[in-house]
Amino acid sequence: MIWLYNATSLSRLPENMNWVAKFEDWCSRRYVYWPLVMLLAAATPLVFAPYYHFWLMPLLFGALIRLTELRPQNSVFGAYCFGLVGYAAQFYWIHTALHDISGLPNLYALPLTILLPAYLALYPAACFWLLEKARLPRGWRIGLLLPVLWTLAEFARERAITGFGWGALGYSQVADLSPLAGYAPVGGVHLLTLLCAFCGAWLVLVLYNQGWKRRVLPLMLLISVIIGGWRLRQERFTEPDGSSATVALVQGNIAQTLKWDTAYLNETMQSYYEQVANSHADITILPETSIPVMRQDLQEYNPGILDQFAYEAQRNGSALAMGIAQYNQQRTGYLNAVINLSNYHPDRPDDIPFYAKNHLVPFGEYKPLPTITEPLYRMMNMPLAGFERGGSAQAPLLLANQRVAFNVCYEDGFGDELIASAKQASLLANVSNLGWFVRSNAIHQHLQISQTRALELGRYMVRATNTGATAIINPQGQVVKLAPPDTRTVLEGSIEGYRGETPYMKMGGSLPLVCGLLCLAVLLMLAGYLPRRKPASDAIEERLPEKSSEPSAEPKDEGK
């Protein structure tokens, strides 16, 4: 049995509220309901960067809840359609990478573009399917169980099959004026997702519960969460360690279609060399795979070029970190690395500290199901699609007076995996190459993810990218400086080293929160199937003998 409060019950509202019932009755009609679900989903990109309309996400989520209440028989498929359209609208740039850059024909590019949203939409659908099975009163189902299930679903899609956490509700709340952003250092992005879902659900209960008594609790909870977030935004869980440095973040703006062209290689190296030679910052960082050739093979293309990069940086008093691919020690595979040229010496060309990317992009940096996908790679211009993992909890690189915890591109979408290195670090750095996505929202969405990591880990985050978004982000998640995208430039600024641990770091990540939510979800699901205790008045009536209105057929024996 589904415990829902539908549009019919609205007929009992006062006369001046009958328009609500009429409007919802209209919305529940099939020809209106499905376009509304699609419209809500299509609006979800507005809540993320570059728009940052964080306030809109609880409203969209609340509207989805209300629509599923109006047509409970379609709630699961409605949630799936919401996810499908929403994720397709957010991640449309997959087509740009597959077709415009890699050259895959639309015959394959279009279905492959929709494949990821079609898969990701299974998670909200599963959430509402489980919600249907819960035999709880409406307030418990909507106000507690649904946000818990949604958060668990978002955590699952971040982890399953290497994971893809982009587009989680929590990321929408990482904005300068968002009160919920204050909870990021406490519990990470999944706590933000939970609270955002709570806000949307409680808003529905405030608006549609009958009687003011049933509206007070969700209203008070909603206000408390917002006030608590504002207060937490004033808290500082980490502190400056007394060090500071200037940084130069190099944005090469090398077109992805030319990046791996060997005929263009010398021009690429010369461009980056000039940018490094003109930089006098304490720390200079080049983006991911800035030199598009294996480090060990550089001598074949331009002898001594690495020596020249290191010499110019050292002459300018700058510690240089460079994104470049390199072979492993056995030369049986290769790594997506960031090398530290601070103490480089030509006599020891292999004695170079480095960080190697560990969380690889499926289909982009490694090939799952190679026997099936190999024919597609032959059609695409996608070099180095077979990287090896670098290993977890790698030590920070020492650059000038900072211990820098690097991550490469896609990796900063997984906050839990950055904690071990961040604990040892005074500065966070991301190097990326988003030239695959050419002037799309991908670069802004990635920037917002980096803002989330800065908040969670309580440190400055610097980003050096090929085409954008190259930026400096402070420990409060605010973008201090941002380079214009799609331009050749060097973004310069100052940072402070930080020490200490946020509560999120002390917990070791999201797992304690998720385990607690999982236990709560199981208890709530089981609670609905427990036998319900009847009111005392009903129990008394059951114990009383039934009164018969008919006279007894047997004569009374008065003589006994």
Side-chain angles (χ1 to χ4, degrees), residues 53-387:
H53 296 314
F54 64 91
W55 52 270
L56 184 59
M57 189 70 252
L59 300 181
L60 294 177
F61 189 70
L64 172 65
I65 294 171
R66 189 59 191 154
L67 282 175
T68 59
E69 288 191 299
L70 295 179
R71 288 184 67 91
Q73 70 274 24
N74 296 125
S75 63
V76 176
F77 188 60
Y80 182 82
C81 291
F82 179 84
L84 177 65
V85 175
Y87 294 134
Q90 293 168 38
F91 311 137
Y92 68 92
W93 35 259
I94 296 172
H95 179 265
T96 305
L98 292 175
H99 178 263
D100 300 352
I101 303 300
S102 296
L104 191 66
N106 267 327
L107 178 65
Y108 303 103
L110 288 173
L112 286 175
T113 299
I114 205 66
L115 185 61
L116 179 64
Y119 160 69
L120 296 178
L122 294 172
Y123 290 93
C127 170
F128 275 85
W129 180 80
L130 286 170
L131 190 68
E132 272 193 355
K133 306 302 176 187
R135 301 171 65 179
L136 293 169
R138 175 176 178 267
W140 288 86
R141 292 177 66 258
I142 300 302
L144 181 58
L145 182 58
L146 176 57
V148 168
L149 290 176
W150 190 279
T151 305
L152 291 173
E154 299 245 342
F155 176 81
R157 76 175 176 90
E158 186 198 79
R159 299 301 176 99
I161 319 176
T162 78
F164 189 82
W166 289 41
L169 265 61
Y171 286 120
S172 70
Q173 300 307 300
V174 179
D176 288 349
L177 297 178
S178 169
L180 296 189
Y183 293 97
V186 176
V189 70
H190 295 298
L191 179 58
L192 296 189
T193 293
L194 177 68
L195 294 175
C196 182
F198 270 138
C199 289
W202 293 338
L203 192 60
V204 171
L205 296 180
V206 168
L207 293 175
Y208 293 102
N209 272 355
Q210 293 187 40
W212 67 269
K213 290 184 179 179
R214 293 187 178 182
R215 297 179 181 183
V216 168
L217 179 59
L219 180 61
M220 294 302 294
L221 289 171
L222 187 61
I223 294 171
S224 299
V225 164
I226 293 172
I227 293 175
W230 277 120
R231 293 196 63 179
L232 283 170
R233 291 215 71 159
Q234 316 309 315
E235 293 289 330
R236 298 294 179 263
F237 297 102
T238 57
E239 61 181 8
D241 63 6
S243 65
S244 61
T246 54
V247 294
L249 308 171
V250 179
Q251 184 171 288
N253 196 37
I254 308 297
Q256 190 64 32
T257 50
L258 301 174
K259 182 178 175 70
W260 298 98
D261 186 347
T262 53
Y264 197 75
L265 178 59
N266 283 332
E267 189 174 340
T268 297
M269 290 192 288
Q270 181 62 30
S271 176
Y272 278 119
Y273 175 75
E274 290 173 0
Q275 289 177 297
V276 170
N278 292 325
S279 170
H280 296 271
D282 297 324
I283 299 171
T284 301
I285 302 177
L286 271 62
E288 176 188 16
T289 57
S290 52
I291 307 301
V293 66
M294 293 292 174
R295 177 180 64 81
Q296 294 90 335
D297 293 341
L298 272 174
Q299 289 294 109
E300 299 177 16
Y301 292 93
N302 194 329
I305 185 63
L306 207 60
D307 305 353
Q308 295 173 45
F309 269 99
Y311 172 76
E312 284 298 330
Q314 291 169 6
R315 188 171 67 87
N316 292 339
S318 184
L320 176 63
M322 172 191 292
I324 189 170
Q326 63 180 26
Y327 293 113
N328 60 20
Q329 288 184 345
Q330 298 77 25
R331 295 181 73 94
T332 55
Y334 43 89
L335 304 164
N336 191 349
V338 179
I339 60 175
N340 180 0
L341 296 176
S342 301
N343 299 309
Y344 175 83
H345 195 280
D347 295 338
R348 302 187 303 275
D350 291 323
D351 186 18
I352 303 175
F354 67 89
Y355 168 82
K357 186 176 185 180
N358 185 55
H359 200 127
L360 305 175
V361 183
F363 302 102
E365 291 175 317
Y366 79 95
K367 302 175 184 177
L369 307 173
T371 53
I372 298 174
T373 58
E374 191 62 42
L376 291 173
Y377 283 97
R378 295 195 197 104
M379 297 185 216
M380 295 188 288
N381 177 26
M382 190 175 286
L384 299 180
F387 282 108

Side-chain angles (χ1 to χ4, degrees), residues 30-46:
R30 188 179 306 171
Y31 61 85
V32 178
Y33 175 85
W34 293 111
L36 273 178
V37 170
M38 309 295 182
L39 186 63
L40 289 175
T44 55
L46 298 176

Side-chain angles (χ1 to χ4, degrees), residues 461-472:
M461 168 77 82
V462 295
R463 291 173 46 87
T465 70
N466 178 23
T467 56
T470 298
I472 300 173

Side-chain angles (χ1 to χ4, degrees), residues 408-465:
V408 179
C409 195
Y410 180 70
E411 283 187 305
D412 71 348
F414 305 91
D416 290 3
E417 297 178 11
L418 307 184
I419 292 175
S421 296
K423 285 181 177 181
Q424 310 169 56
S426 56
L427 174 65
L428 309 173
N430 174 270
V431 295
S432 295
N433 171 34
L434 297 181
W436 295 95
F437 307 112
V438 194
R439 293 183 178 273
S440 70
N441 283 352
I443 64 172
H444 305 289
Q445 293 167 4
H446 197 206
L447 173 65
Q448 191 172 34
I449 289 172
S450 289
Q451 292 177 258
T452 308
R453 301 291 88 87
L455 265 170
E456 289 174 344
L457 304 173
R459 283 154 175 76
Y460 270 88
M461 168 77 82
V462 295
R463 291 173 46 87
T465 70

